[in-house]
PDB file of all heavy atoms in Angstrom:
ATOM      1  N   LEU R1068     -49.279  -9.685   3.390  1.00  0.00           N
ATOM      2  CA  LEU R1068     -50.166  -8.717   4.036  1.00  0.00           C
ATOM      3  C   LEU R1068     -51.445  -9.421   4.363  1.00  0.00           C
ATOM      4  O   LEU R1068     -52.118  -9.125   5.357  1.00  0.00           O
ATOM      5  CB  LEU R1068     -50.432  -7.514   3.091  1.00  0.00           C
ATOM      6  CG  LEU R1068     -49.388  -6.478   3.030  1.00  0.00           C
ATOM      7  CD1 LEU R1068     -49.646  -5.462   1.973  1.00  0.00           C
ATOM      8  CD2 LEU R1068     -49.305  -5.724   4.355  1.00  0.00           C
ATOM      9  N   VAL R1069     -51.982 -10.253   3.498  1.00  0.00           N
ATOM     10  CA  VAL R1069     -53.262 -11.011   3.748  1.00  0.00           C
ATOM     11  C   VAL R1069     -53.143 -11.925   4.932  1.00  0.00           C
ATOM     12  O   VAL R1069     -54.154 -12.036   5.718  1.00  0.00           O
ATOM     13  CB  VAL R1069     -53.561 -11.802   2.440  1.00  0.00           C
ATOM     14  CG1 VAL R1069     -54.807 -12.725   2.721  1.00  0.00           C
ATOM     15  CG2 VAL R1069     -53.928 -10.907   1.284  1.00  0.00           C
ATOM     16  N   VAL R1070     -51.951 -12.585   5.197  1.00  0.00           N
ATOM     17  CA  VAL R1070     -51.830 -13.464   6.280  1.00  0.00           C
ATOM     18  C   VAL R1070     -51.146 -12.797   7.537  1.00  0.00           C
ATOM     19  O   VAL R1070     -50.608 -13.462   8.340  1.00  0.00           O
ATOM     20  CB  VAL R1070     -51.170 -14.773   5.881  1.00  0.00           C
ATOM     21  CG1 VAL R1070     -51.901 -15.548   4.855  1.00  0.00           C
ATOM     22  CG2 VAL R1070     -49.703 -14.458   5.503  1.00  0.00           C
ATOM     23  N   LYS R1071     -51.096 -11.487   7.577  1.00  0.00           N
ATOM     24  CA  LYS R1071     -50.489 -10.733   8.561  1.00  0.00           C
ATOM     25  C   LYS R1071     -50.927 -11.093   9.952  1.00  0.00           C
ATOM     26  O   LYS R1071     -50.167 -11.388  10.876  1.00  0.00           O
ATOM     27  CB  LYS R1071     -50.563  -9.258   8.327  1.00  0.00           C
ATOM     28  CG  LYS R1071     -49.907  -8.403   9.466  1.00  0.00           C
ATOM     29  CD  LYS R1071     -50.145  -6.972   9.161  1.00  0.00           C
ATOM     30  CE  LYS R1071     -51.594  -6.669   9.488  1.00  0.00           C
ATOM     31  NZ  LYS R1071     -51.969  -5.292   9.731  1.00  0.00           N
ATOM     32  N   GLN R1072     -52.237 -11.211  10.193  1.00  0.00           N
ATOM     33  CA  GLN R1072     -52.854 -11.541  11.462  1.00  0.00           C
ATOM     34  C   GLN R1072     -52.430 -12.925  11.927  1.00  0.00           C
ATOM     35  O   GLN R1072     -52.154 -13.090  13.109  1.00  0.00           O
ATOM     36  CB  GLN R1072     -54.344 -11.395  11.534  1.00  0.00           C
ATOM     37  CG  GLN R1072     -54.920 -11.447  12.908  1.00  0.00           C
ATOM     38  CD  GLN R1072     -54.373 -10.342  13.873  1.00  0.00           C
ATOM     39  OE1 GLN R1072     -54.205  -9.277  13.532  1.00  0.00           O
ATOM     40  NE2 GLN R1072     -53.961 -10.881  15.038  1.00  0.00           N
ATOM     41  N   GLN R1073     -52.379 -13.912  10.947  1.00  0.00           N
ATOM     42  CA  GLN R1073     -51.990 -15.221  11.351  1.00  0.00           C
ATOM     43  C   GLN R1073     -50.545 -15.236  11.814  1.00  0.00           C
ATOM     44  O   GLN R1073     -50.109 -15.895  12.704  1.00  0.00           O
ATOM     45  CB  GLN R1073     -52.220 -16.155  10.177  1.00  0.00           C
ATOM     46  CG  GLN R1073     -53.636 -16.388   9.842  1.00  0.00           C
ATOM     47  CD  GLN R1073     -53.824 -17.134   8.519  1.00  0.00           C
ATOM     48  OE1 GLN R1073     -52.782 -17.349   7.786  1.00  0.00           O
ATOM     49  NE2 GLN R1073     -55.018 -17.605   8.232  1.00  0.00           N
ATOM     50  N   LEU R1074     -49.696 -14.425  11.163  1.00  0.00           N
ATOM     51  CA  LEU R1074     -48.263 -14.293  11.486  1.00  0.00           C
ATOM     52  C   LEU R1074     -48.082 -13.754  12.907  1.00  0.00           C
ATOM     53  O   LEU R1074     -47.342 -14.198  13.666  1.00  0.00           O
ATOM     54  CB  LEU R1074     -47.597 -13.395  10.415  1.00  0.00           C
ATOM     55  CG  LEU R1074     -46.081 -13.258  10.566  1.00  0.00           C
ATOM     56  CD1 LEU R1074     -45.348 -14.548  10.506  1.00  0.00           C
ATOM     57  CD2 LEU R1074     -45.560 -12.343   9.496  1.00  0.00           C
ATOM     58  N   ILE R1075     -49.003 -12.737  13.180  1.00  0.00           N
ATOM     59  CA  ILE R1075     -48.884 -12.062  14.482  1.00  0.00           C
ATOM     60  C   ILE R1075     -49.270 -13.062  15.533  1.00  0.00           C
ATOM     61  O   ILE R1075     -48.643 -13.161  16.572  1.00  0.00           O
ATOM     62  CB  ILE R1075     -49.739 -10.832  14.500  1.00  0.00           C
ATOM     63  CG1 ILE R1075     -49.201  -9.677  13.620  1.00  0.00           C
ATOM     64  CG2 ILE R1075     -49.929 -10.239  15.963  1.00  0.00           C
ATOM     65  CD1 ILE R1075     -50.063  -8.504  13.375  1.00  0.00           C
ATOM     66  N   ASP R1076     -50.369 -13.787  15.290  1.00  0.00           N
ATOM     67  CA  ASP R1076     -50.833 -14.799  16.261  1.00  0.00           C
ATOM     68  C   ASP R1076     -49.752 -15.865  16.557  1.00  0.00           C
ATOM     69  O   ASP R1076     -49.562 -16.290  17.676  1.00  0.00           O
ATOM     70  CB  ASP R1076     -52.091 -15.447  15.760  1.00  0.00           C
ATOM     71  CG  ASP R1076     -53.279 -14.498  15.684  1.00  0.00           C
ATOM     72  OD1 ASP R1076     -53.182 -13.424  16.409  1.00  0.00           O
ATOM     73  OD2 ASP R1076     -54.276 -14.789  14.959  1.00  0.00           O
ATOM     74  N   ALA R1077     -49.106 -16.320  15.452  1.00  0.00           N
ATOM     75  CA  ALA R1077     -48.089 -17.334  15.582  1.00  0.00           C
ATOM     76  C   ALA R1077     -46.899 -16.730  16.470  1.00  0.00           C
ATOM     77  O   ALA R1077     -46.322 -17.535  17.307  1.00  0.00           O
ATOM     78  CB  ALA R1077     -47.540 -17.805  14.270  1.00  0.00           C
ATOM     79  N   ILE R1078     -46.476 -15.635  16.220  1.00  0.00           N
ATOM     80  CA  ILE R1078     -45.400 -14.967  16.981  1.00  0.00           C
ATOM     81  C   ILE R1078     -45.763 -14.806  18.466  1.00  0.00           C
ATOM     82  O   ILE R1078     -44.946 -15.091  19.332  1.00  0.00           O
ATOM     83  CB  ILE R1078     -44.931 -13.606  16.256  1.00  0.00           C
ATOM     84  CG1 ILE R1078     -44.355 -13.880  14.966  1.00  0.00           C
ATOM     85  CG2 ILE R1078     -43.906 -12.907  17.213  1.00  0.00           C
ATOM     86  CD1 ILE R1078     -44.055 -12.613  14.123  1.00  0.00           C
ATOM     87  N   VAL R1079     -46.993 -14.370  18.664  1.00  0.00           N
ATOM     88  CA  VAL R1079     -47.490 -14.092  20.111  1.00  0.00           C
ATOM     89  C   VAL R1079     -47.443 -15.488  20.805  1.00  0.00           C
ATOM     90  O   VAL R1079     -47.000 -15.606  21.920  1.00  0.00           O
ATOM     91  CB  VAL R1079     -48.868 -13.498  20.104  1.00  0.00           C
ATOM     92  CG1 VAL R1079     -49.429 -13.595  21.468  1.00  0.00           C
ATOM     93  CG2 VAL R1079     -48.786 -12.020  19.718  1.00  0.00           C
ATOM     94  N   LYS R1080     -47.917 -16.566  20.114  1.00  0.00           N
ATOM     95  CA  LYS R1080     -48.018 -17.923  20.747  1.00  0.00           C
ATOM     96  C   LYS R1080     -46.621 -18.399  20.986  1.00  0.00           C
ATOM     97  O   LYS R1080     -46.425 -18.953  22.134  1.00  0.00           O
ATOM     98  CB  LYS R1080     -48.772 -18.896  19.703  1.00  0.00           C
ATOM     99  CG  LYS R1080     -48.894 -20.229  20.285  1.00  0.00           C
ATOM    100  CD  LYS R1080     -49.572 -21.163  19.340  1.00  0.00           C
ATOM    101  CE  LYS R1080     -49.612 -22.575  19.910  1.00  0.00           C
ATOM    102  NZ  LYS R1080     -50.176 -23.517  18.854  1.00  0.00           N
ATOM    103  N   THR R1081     -45.724 -18.241  20.090  1.00  0.00           N
ATOM    104  CA  THR R1081     -44.343 -18.690  20.306  1.00  0.00           C
ATOM    105  C   THR R1081     -43.690 -17.830  21.435  1.00  0.00           C
ATOM    106  O   THR R1081     -43.018 -18.454  22.232  1.00  0.00           O
ATOM    107  CB  THR R1081     -43.515 -18.492  18.986  1.00  0.00           C
ATOM    108  OG1 THR R1081     -44.113 -19.188  17.930  1.00  0.00           O
ATOM    109  CG2 THR R1081     -42.054 -18.981  19.178  1.00  0.00           C
ATOM    110  N   THR R1082     -43.946 -16.662  21.554  1.00  0.00           N
ATOM    111  CA  THR R1082     -43.349 -15.824  22.546  1.00  0.00           C
ATOM    112  C   THR R1082     -43.893 -16.259  23.926  1.00  0.00           C
ATOM    113  O   THR R1082     -43.168 -16.335  24.953  1.00  0.00           O
ATOM    114  CB  THR R1082     -43.681 -14.347  22.350  1.00  0.00           C
ATOM    115  OG1 THR R1082     -43.219 -13.953  20.973  1.00  0.00           O
ATOM    116  CG2 THR R1082     -43.010 -13.443  23.360  1.00  0.00           C
ATOM    117  N   ASN R1083     -45.198 -16.513  23.981  1.00  0.00           N
ATOM    118  CA  ASN R1083     -45.794 -16.928  25.265  1.00  0.00           C
ATOM    119  C   ASN R1083     -45.342 -18.270  25.681  1.00  0.00           C
ATOM    120  O   ASN R1083     -45.254 -18.562  26.876  1.00  0.00           O
ATOM    121  CB  ASN R1083     -47.387 -16.952  25.158  1.00  0.00           C
ATOM    122  CG  ASN R1083     -47.885 -15.503  25.061  1.00  0.00           C
ATOM    123  OD1 ASN R1083     -47.238 -14.564  25.563  1.00  0.00           O
ATOM    124  ND2 ASN R1083     -49.072 -15.337  24.572  1.00  0.00           N
ATOM    125  N   GLU R1084     -45.011 -19.216  24.782  1.00  0.00           N
ATOM    126  CA  GLU R1084     -44.507 -20.536  25.149  1.00  0.00           C
ATOM    127  C   GLU R1084     -43.069 -20.576  25.435  1.00  0.00           C
ATOM    128  O   GLU R1084     -42.577 -21.558  25.884  1.00  0.00           O
ATOM    129  CB  GLU R1084     -44.847 -21.529  23.990  1.00  0.00           C
ATOM    130  CG  GLU R1084     -46.423 -21.680  23.822  1.00  0.00           C
ATOM    131  CD  GLU R1084     -46.671 -22.591  22.598  1.00  0.00           C
ATOM    132  OE1 GLU R1084     -45.755 -22.871  21.819  1.00  0.00           O
ATOM    133  OE2 GLU R1084     -47.866 -22.894  22.439  1.00  0.00           O
ATOM    134  N   SER R1085     -42.362 -19.481  25.053  1.00  0.00           N
ATOM    135  CA  SER R1085     -40.926 -19.375  25.263  1.00  0.00           C
ATOM    136  C   SER R1085     -40.531 -19.407  26.689  1.00  0.00           C
ATOM    137  O   SER R1085     -41.189 -18.853  27.589  1.00  0.00           O
ATOM    138  CB  SER R1085     -40.392 -18.109  24.543  1.00  0.00           C
ATOM    139  OG  SER R1085     -39.030 -17.963  24.946  1.00  0.00           O
ATOM    140  N   THR R1086     -39.484 -20.196  27.006  1.00  0.00           N
ATOM    141  CA  THR R1086     -38.939 -20.234  28.393  1.00  0.00           C
ATOM    142  C   THR R1086     -37.724 -19.417  28.566  1.00  0.00           C
ATOM    143  O   THR R1086     -37.063 -19.521  29.550  1.00  0.00           O
ATOM    144  CB  THR R1086     -38.664 -21.720  28.755  1.00  0.00           C
ATOM    145  OG1 THR R1086     -37.668 -22.188  27.846  1.00  0.00           O
ATOM    146  CG2 THR R1086     -39.929 -22.563  28.688  1.00  0.00           C
ATOM    147  N   ALA R1087     -37.429 -18.571  27.620  1.00  0.00           N
ATOM    148  CA  ALA R1087     -36.261 -17.711  27.655  1.00  0.00           C
ATOM    149  C   ALA R1087     -36.376 -16.703  28.821  1.00  0.00           C
ATOM    150  O   ALA R1087     -37.548 -16.249  29.108  1.00  0.00           O
ATOM    151  CB  ALA R1087     -36.094 -16.988  26.376  1.00  0.00           C
ATOM    152  N   PRO R1088     -35.280 -16.476  29.518  1.00  0.00           N
ATOM    153  CA  PRO R1088     -35.377 -15.449  30.593  1.00  0.00           C
ATOM    154  C   PRO R1088     -35.495 -14.079  30.072  1.00  0.00           C
ATOM    155  O   PRO R1088     -35.177 -13.774  28.951  1.00  0.00           O
ATOM    156  CB  PRO R1088     -33.996 -15.685  31.314  1.00  0.00           C
ATOM    157  CG  PRO R1088     -33.119 -16.184  30.293  1.00  0.00           C
ATOM    158  CD  PRO R1088     -33.962 -17.022  29.329  1.00  0.00           C
ATOM    159  N   GLY R1089     -36.059 -13.227  30.915  1.00  0.00           N
ATOM    160  CA  GLY R1089     -36.188 -11.819  30.558  1.00  0.00           C
ATOM    161  C   GLY R1089     -37.594 -11.455  30.260  1.00  0.00           C
ATOM    162  O   GLY R1089     -38.456 -12.313  30.111  1.00  0.00           O
ATOM    163  N   PRO R1090     -37.834 -10.131  30.065  1.00  0.00           N
ATOM    164  CA  PRO R1090     -39.199  -9.699  29.823  1.00  0.00           C
ATOM    165  C   PRO R1090     -39.670 -10.166  28.452  1.00  0.00           C
ATOM    166  O   PRO R1090     -38.882 -10.172  27.494  1.00  0.00           O
ATOM    167  CB  PRO R1090     -39.166  -8.193  29.980  1.00  0.00           C
ATOM    168  CG  PRO R1090     -37.673  -7.839  29.684  1.00  0.00           C
ATOM    169  CD  PRO R1090     -36.920  -9.027  30.195  1.00  0.00           C
ATOM    170  N   LYS R1091     -40.938 -10.353  28.388  1.00  0.00           N
ATOM    171  CA  LYS R1091     -41.534 -10.726  27.006  1.00  0.00           C
ATOM    172  C   LYS R1091     -42.285  -9.576  26.471  1.00  0.00           C
ATOM    173  O   LYS R1091     -42.882  -8.882  27.219  1.00  0.00           O
ATOM    174  CB  LYS R1091     -42.441 -11.953  27.268  1.00  0.00           C
ATOM    175  CG  LYS R1091     -41.808 -13.200  27.687  1.00  0.00           C
ATOM    176  CD  LYS R1091     -42.720 -14.330  27.787  1.00  0.00           C
ATOM    177  CE  LYS R1091     -41.966 -15.558  28.258  1.00  0.00           C
ATOM    178  NZ  LYS R1091     -42.852 -16.747  28.548  1.00  0.00           N
ATOM    179  N   PRO R1092     -42.201  -9.421  25.200  1.00  0.00           N
ATOM    180  CA  PRO R1092     -42.927  -8.249  24.599  1.00  0.00           C
ATOM    181  C   PRO R1092     -44.450  -8.474  24.686  1.00  0.00           C
ATOM    182  O   PRO R1092     -44.877  -9.641  24.593  1.00  0.00           O
ATOM    183  CB  PRO R1092     -42.402  -8.171  23.192  1.00  0.00           C
ATOM    184  CG  PRO R1092     -41.868  -9.535  22.868  1.00  0.00           C
ATOM    185  CD  PRO R1092     -41.395 -10.147  24.179  1.00  0.00           C
ATOM    186  N   SER R1093     -45.250  -7.469  24.780  1.00  0.00           N
ATOM    187  CA  SER R1093     -46.577  -7.542  24.824  1.00  0.00           C
ATOM    188  C   SER R1093     -47.183  -7.817  23.400  1.00  0.00           C
ATOM    189  O   SER R1093     -46.563  -7.592  22.419  1.00  0.00           O
ATOM    190  CB  SER R1093     -47.197  -6.256  25.346  1.00  0.00           C
ATOM    191  OG  SER R1093     -47.074  -5.275  24.357  1.00  0.00           O
ATOM    192  N   PRO R1094     -48.312  -8.479  23.352  1.00  0.00           N
ATOM    193  CA  PRO R1094     -48.962  -8.716  22.069  1.00  0.00           C
ATOM    194  C   PRO R1094     -49.179  -7.453  21.228  1.00  0.00           C
ATOM    195  O   PRO R1094     -49.006  -7.583  19.950  1.00  0.00           O
ATOM    196  CB  PRO R1094     -50.264  -9.356  22.405  1.00  0.00           C
ATOM    197  CG  PRO R1094     -50.077  -9.978  23.804  1.00  0.00           C
ATOM    198  CD  PRO R1094     -49.119  -9.081  24.488  1.00  0.00           C
ATOM    199  N   ALA R1095     -49.387  -6.337  21.862  1.00  0.00           N
ATOM    200  CA  ALA R1095     -49.522  -5.143  21.122  1.00  0.00           C
ATOM    201  C   ALA R1095     -48.256  -4.662  20.474  1.00  0.00           C
ATOM    202  O   ALA R1095     -48.220  -4.232  19.268  1.00  0.00           O
ATOM    203  CB  ALA R1095     -50.037  -4.022  21.928  1.00  0.00           C
ATOM    204  N   ASP R1096     -47.064  -4.872  21.164  1.00  0.00           N
ATOM    205  CA  ASP R1096     -45.810  -4.481  20.631  1.00  0.00           C
ATOM    206  C   ASP R1096     -45.478  -5.445  19.429  1.00  0.00           C
ATOM    207  O   ASP R1096     -44.892  -5.031  18.427  1.00  0.00           O
ATOM    208  CB  ASP R1096     -44.723  -4.658  21.744  1.00  0.00           C
ATOM    209  CG  ASP R1096     -44.797  -3.558  22.798  1.00  0.00           C
ATOM    210  OD1 ASP R1096     -45.423  -2.554  22.504  1.00  0.00           O
ATOM    211  OD2 ASP R1096     -44.218  -3.772  23.845  1.00  0.00           O
TER     212      ASP R1096
END
């Protein structure tokens, strides 16, 4: 819970750098 925001940031960064086809989830999602 303490590092939740860091986890969210890492997932958003990984998702943005992903080259997988299809729609990407928004950072809010």
Side-chain angles (χ1 to χ4, degrees):
L1068 281 171
V1069 169
V1070 298
K1071 178 183 70 160
Q1072 189 57 48
Q1073 294 170 349
L1074 181 62
I1075 291 170
D1076 294 341
I1078 294 171
V1079 167
K1080 181 181 176 187
T1081 304
T1082 303
N1083 289 337
E1084 293 174 355
S1085 173
T1086 59
K1091 294 181 182 176
S1093 70
D1096 289 341

